[in-house]
Amino acid sequence: MKFGLIPRLIVGIVLGIVIGVIAPQWLLSITETGRMLLGNLINFFIPFIIFSFIAYSIAQLSKNAGRLLSFTLLLSYADTVIACSLAAIGAYLMIPGIVQGRTFSEPGANSVPAPFVEIEFPPFMDIMSALIFAIVIGLAASLGKANVISKVVEELKGIIDIVIKKFIIPVIPFFIFFIFTGIAAAGEVSGAIVIFGQMLLVIIAMQIIWLTIEYTVASIYTKTSPLQAIKIMMPAYFTAMGTMSSAATIPVSLSQGKKLPKMNKRIAEFVMPLCANIHSAGAALTLTISAVTVTLITQGSLPEISLISIFILVLAIILTGAAGVPGGSVLATLGILQSILGFNEVALGLMLALFMVQDTLGTATNITGDGAIAMIVNKIFGNDEKDTEHVEESETVNG
């Protein structure tokens, strides 16, 4: 029987807490060495992830260009930004009451010994340079001015997907183990468990609220029943919970999407697979709430409104290219968490733990929300014969 990612993360957290409480100083030095080593390795790949995901996302904007594709992309982006904005408002109102002044210090600052050895892996460029370079290359590729570069960007995205699946995801439970060992050794684990447990309840509540809003708006616009639409998409929700991958859930989401009220079959066949790879409202609102929480407990204050606003706008762009990759959402976000919100290594580790533990619910929210997007798109383009022909052409191009 395969031991899944979430069980491994839970084991890593529990073992980290136990070892952190009882371990002698020499063992804590070993775990701190592991934390520094894995943290540096993950930081090394962050610019590659940022560049490949953003450049690939922008490069796709004008491929198979048409009103249907452009509208779906913009609607998905707007949906994600609004979800994050509501999540941020909820987090600013509720999270301070949950945290109640409890903050974490950097492991190693108090009772945790220094690592035996520190090995640096300098990234090939800083986060903002990777972000700007990705935008330039992506725009050039999307305008058809750099065909070779466009292919390189697509291949690099494929390589980074493999790195994430084969290397980064497998080592994350070990990184989380080292992080929680340090937190436990510093005597801060009880506060962490209380805060994170309550924060996860806030996240789940916000995901349910957002799905309700999506389907209420879509149903009012299309003059259909929101309850009927949500009921139809429930098989996709539970399938996504099991697979933890929007891409792997496409067969079920597509099948259910075709059953939505008044749905044009060809619109569903275009929108559902597309949104599985560009629409991540559930993951995005989770990342926003987690980012606000981790900022408060590691920096002692909520992030400035201007910073969280920039974070949300950039996050929605990044997730356009990360939606179909299990765990890709949070990994692609690490760079802007560092550059915009000032996260340190421990804060990044906490974000990884928080997001991965609930990733199955975030994925389910993503894929279920695709149905609401499809309903709105269908209302506008479902009876347009010209755009229906475009759907067929896009399906042929995208295979």
Side-chain angles (χ1 to χ4, degrees):
M1 182 177 178
K2 186 177 180 180
F3 201 46
L5 177 61
I6 291 180
R8 282 183 281 141
L9 286 170
I10 294 174
V11 169
I13 292 172
V14 172
L15 284 180
I17 292 172
V18 173
I19 297 298
V21 171
I22 67 174
Q25 294 292 293
W26 63 267
L27 183 55
L28 292 176
S29 291
I30 294 176
T31 60
E32 279 298 288
T33 302
R35 179 178 71 86
M36 295 290 290
L37 177 63
L38 292 183
N40 286 335
L41 280 172
I42 292 173
N43 283 331
F44 175 80
F45 284 108
I46 286 175
F48 286 103
I49 296 172
I50 288 288
F51 174 80
S52 63
F53 281 8
I54 292 183
Y56 178 79
S57 298
I58 296 175
Q60 300 304 303
L61 290 179
S62 291
K63 291 186 175 181
N64 311 320
R67 291 191 302 130
L68 175 57
L69 175 62
S70 300
F71 180 81
T72 305
L73 284 167
L74 290 174
L75 181 60
S76 297
Y77 178 80
D79 182 82
T80 302
V81 170
I82 296 171
C84 290
S85 300
L86 292 178
I89 292 172
Y92 275 75
L93 292 175
M94 291 183 284
I95 296 303
I98 293 174
V99 174
Q100 295 179 344
R102 290 171 292 202
T103 59
F104 297 166
S105 59
E106 172 85 14
N110 298 317
S111 59
V112 183
F116 282 124
V117 62
E118 296 185 25
I119 303 176
E120 296 290 336
F121 299 95
F124 80 109
M125 66 172 68
D126 61 42
I127 301 302
M128 293 309 298
S129 297
L131 180 61
I132 295 171
F133 189 43
I135 292 172
V136 172
I137 296 299
L139 286 174
S142 70
L143 296 173
K145 304 298 183 182
N147 293 330
V148 174
I149 293 295
S150 179
K151 293 180 180 178
V152 171
V153 167
E154 187 172 350
E155 290 185 3
L156 179 60
K157 169 67 162 49
I159 293 171
I160 295 301
D161 285 350
I162 294 174
V163 170
I164 289 174
K165 294 175 183 177
K166 301 297 184 181
F167 171 70
I168 297 180
I169 295 297
V171 305
I172 282 178
F174 296 97
F175 184 51
I176 298 304
F177 163 74
F178 295 138
I179 291 290
F180 273 83
T181 299
I183 290 175
E188 297 165 337
V189 69
S190 59
I193 293 174
V194 172
I195 291 171
F196 295 159
Q198 294 181 54
M199 192 205 70
L200 285 175
L201 294 178
V202 172
I203 288 173
I204 293 171
M206 287 299 300
Q207 289 173 342
I208 294 172
I209 290 171
W210 183 243
L211 283 176
T212 302
I213 292 173
E214 284 181 319
Y215 277 94
T216 299
V217 171
S219 296
I220 291 174
Y221 183 63
T222 58
K223 298 180 180 178
T224 57
S225 168
L227 293 178
Q228 181 186 5
I230 292 175
K231 182 179 179 181
I232 289 172
M233 292 303 297
M234 279 297 97
Y237 183 92
F238 291 112
T239 301
M241 284 185 64
T243 62
M244 290 179 59
S245 169
S246 296
T249 312
I250 288 176
V252 177
S253 66
L254 177 56
S255 174
Q256 297 306 117
K258 293 178 181 178
K259 300 175 184 178
L260 289 168
K262 302 181 182 180
M263 181 60 62
N264 183 313
K265 175 182 176 182
R266 292 174 179 174
I267 293 294
E269 289 173 346
F270 177 79
V271 174
M272 299 305 288
L274 176 64
C275 284
N277 290 282
I278 66 169
H279 180 232
S280 295
L285 70 85
T286 298
L287 288 166
T288 303
I289 295 171
S290 300
V292 171
T293 305
V294 173
T295 300
L296 181 57
I297 63 179
T298 58
Q299 300 179 19
S301 62
L302 293 167
E304 296 180 8
I305 300 297
S306 59
L307 292 181
I308 201 67
S309 299
I310 295 171
F311 172 79
I312 288 171
L313 294 174
V314 178
L315 173 65
I317 296 174
I318 291 176
L319 294 191
T320 300
V325 183
S329 299
V330 66
L331 293 171
T333 309
L334 296 182
I336 60 173
L337 288 168
Q338 287 180 315
S339 60
I340 297 176
L341 298 182
F343 274 29
N344 59 21
E345 186 178 274
V346 173
L348 294 179
L350 293 173
M351 282 292 296
L352 287 169
L354 287 169
F355 185 85
M356 292 296 187
V357 167
Q358 69 75 56
D359 192 23
T360 181
L361 295 173
T363 301
T365 303
N366 293 344
I367 205 73
T368 306
D370 295 347
I373 300 293
M375 290 170 66
I376 295 175
V377 173
N378 181 70
K379 174 67 174 179
I380 298 174
F381 297 97
N383 296 318
D384 192 326
E385 293 182 1
K386 181 178 179 180
D387 283 302
T388 299
E389 292 174 359
H390 173 74
V391 172
E392 295 175 324
E393 293 172 359
S394 298
E395 287 175 341
T396 301
V397 173
N398 288 302

